[in-house]
Each structure stands twice: as structure tokens, then as C-alpha cells.
Amino acid sequence: MRLDKFFTQTGTLTRSQCAKAAKTGAITVDGIIIRDASVNIDPDKNVIAYNGEAISYSEFVYIMMNKPLGYVCSNDEPGELLVFDLLDEKNKRKDVFTVGRLDKATSGLIIITDDGKSAHAALSPKHHVEKTYVYTLAEPLSEQDRIKLENGIELKDGYTTKPCKIIPTGEKSGKIILSEGKYHQIRRMFAAVSNKVETLERISFGDIQLDNSLSYGQWRSLTDEEISKFKK
Ligand code: URA
């Protein structure tokens, strides 16, 4: 990859800024000053630094966001607030999408990436990636209904859900762990036992937990450890 492409891809410098920076000697490759921005480098092997600071490189973007209520997980829905509006310009410019969707009325962990292959694998029913949600309900959940839901329940459209796990934390609250993600699934599951979801928040996706330090609408890049968990 060309050195200037590396700088534009990492969002550090534009192509012309990179050419200028190189001329002034602000760019090093493995500690050696490089004045020609068109040289080829290998971002996986070489250490590229700008003003003495190493620039980390990842081919793809991986972001965790604490989705606020009222936002939609869509790239284009006129009149709606989009989760992508909350990103900075650099990430907005990439071909990012959310890994699965949360409803407008659901908050919590969403992963945003431009790595289609890993996202596809993470969503594939074959891989049974578990997602944990915290719910509150309008009515108390009976033990009988909890068991029905855990074993799999027929939804209005005739689909029978896969077994799941429900851990009540109160009569009307708890955690539900699903390994599938049909449209409005949790709301429709509780509706199937004549109940109603009042609030829903996702707190984990596979082995990745929602970072509690992120308030609604905040986001950060996944750590290297989280990226490997996502790709696992
Ligand atoms: N199930 C739902 O009903 N809504 C979500 O946003 C996620 C899972």
C-alpha cells in the first residue's frame, strides 16, 4: 500500500497533507524519515509514525455504540435519526453498517463495522452467537410463561422461536439471552404470552459486553481483544 493511502485510510492526513508532511520529515517508516509519500509500505509489518507517534492500522472499522432510544439502525431512512449521525466525519465516510439491528425503541450495544465477511458470520444462524438483553415488562412474568418462552414459542406469523434463556431479576424484569434475531423478536415473544415489553436494552453481543462507561449515543473503537472475539 502507498504511504499516502495509509494516511488517508487511517484518517490521519489527506493525500496532500501527507505529501507536505513527508517533505518536512514528519513521517517515519520503521524509524527512518521518508520524504516520498508514494513509497510502498506494508501496514502489517512496518511501523509508520507521524510527528513521532505510531499510527495504528486496521483494515476495517469496528465500533461499539451505546444506541440511544429513538435512533434507527439504518443507513438511510428519511425523517429518522440514524445511529450513523452520531459517528465522527472520518467514520461516517466509510461504508459502515450495523451488525444486525436494534429497534428504534431499544437501547444498548450495537456493533458498527465495514467488515462484511465477519458481520455476516456473526449473524449467521450457524454460529449461534448469543445476545443478552435486559427487559422490563408491563405484567409479571409467570413461571409457566417463562418456561414456554424458554422452550420456544410460536409467534403470530407461525414462526417458532429457538430455545432461549430467561433470568428474571424481578416479577417484571430480567435478562433474556437469544441466539437468533428475528424482526422485533423479543417484543413478539412476550406478546405471545399476552405480555408487553416496556423497556429493552442489549448488554452483550457474543463475548463482547457493552462498555458501561459509554453513555447513550457514545461510541468507541473495539479493542484488539474485542475484535478477535467478534471475528471468532
Ligand atoms: N428483539 C426486539 O424485539 N427488539 C430488538 O431491538 C432486539 C431484539
Side-chain angles (χ1 to χ4, degrees):
M1 175 190 292
R2 276 173 61 126
L3 186 60
D4 47 9
K5 181 147 190 229
F6 170 87
F7 276 97
T8 53
Q9 271 209 358
T10 55
T12 323
L13 296 172
T14 62
R15 212 168 143 185
S16 62
Q17 285 170 337
C18 178
K20 276 187 205 144
K23 284 209 179 91
T24 64
I27 294 173
T28 56
V29 176
D30 296 337
I32 297 162
I33 291 177
I34 300 293
R35 293 186 192 273
D36 175 3
S38 70
V39 297
N40 274 312
I41 52 105
D42 181 344
D44 293 323
K45 292 197 183 122
N46 301 128
V47 177
I48 322 293
Y50 172 53
N51 284 336
E53 244 180 71
I55 315 291
S56 61
Y57 176 78
S58 165
E59 190 184 356
F60 297 112
V61 172
Y62 302 95
I63 287 168
M64 105 160 37
M65 181 185 281
N66 187 358
K67 176 193 171 297
L69 297 175
Y71 280 73
V72 298
C73 294
S74 161
N75 290 73
D76 180 25
E77 214 165 305
E80 296 287 1
L81 295 165
L82 312 181
V83 291
F84 305 104
D85 295 339
L86 298 162
L87 296 177
D88 61 356
E89 289 307 316
K90 179 179 128 189
N91 285 301
K92 258 189 228 175
R93 261 185 267 127
K94 309 222 167 176
D95 286 333
V96 287
F97 53 87
T98 60
V99 182
R101 289 183 177 203
L102 290 181
D103 300 339
K104 189 172 169 181
T106 303
S107 60
L109 175 61
I110 49 169
I111 293 173
I112 295 174
T113 186
D114 53 355
D115 177 356
K117 198 166 149 218
S118 302
H120 188 260
L123 292 173
S124 160
K126 256 196 335 221
H127 293 112
H128 307 286
V129 174
E130 290 189 336
K131 293 128 204 151
T132 307
Y133 298 80
V134 174
Y135 64 81
T136 61
L137 300 172
E139 306 297 334
L141 179 69
S142 68
E143 187 54 11
Q144 210 181 355
D145 283 347
R146 185 184 69 78
I147 292 166
K148 269 196 214 165
L149 289 166
E150 279 200 337
N151 289 340
I153 192 154
E154 188 174 334
L155 304 179
K156 255 195 176 154
D157 61 1
Y159 176 75
T160 301
T161 59
K162 302 248 160 14
C164 69
K165 180 101 198 108
I166 298 181
I167 306 160
T169 50
E171 278 193 321
K172 298 185 190 176
S173 60
K175 287 183 187 170
I176 177 164
I177 304 162
L178 298 185
S179 58
E180 56 180 345
K182 302 282 177 220
Y183 179 69
H184 285 184
Q185 180 160 344
I186 297 173
R187 293 174 204 279
R188 294 196 292 145
M189 285 171 72
F190 284 110
V193 292
S194 307
N195 211 320
K196 187 173 185 292
V197 169
E198 299 259 279
T199 63
L200 193 60
E201 176 178 25
R202 183 155 71 190
I203 57 166
S204 76
F205 185 105
D207 294 330
I208 302 172
Q209 315 294 321
L210 175 63
D211 181 338
N212 300 323
S213 71
L214 296 176
S215 46
Y216 292 127
Q218 285 189 321
W219 56 271
R220 65 160 171 80
S221 297
L222 293 191
T223 62
D224 289 345
E225 198 185 334
E226 287 164 341
I227 293 172
S228 20
K229 284 177 177 172
F230 177 64
K231 293 180 162 188
K232 198 172 75 179

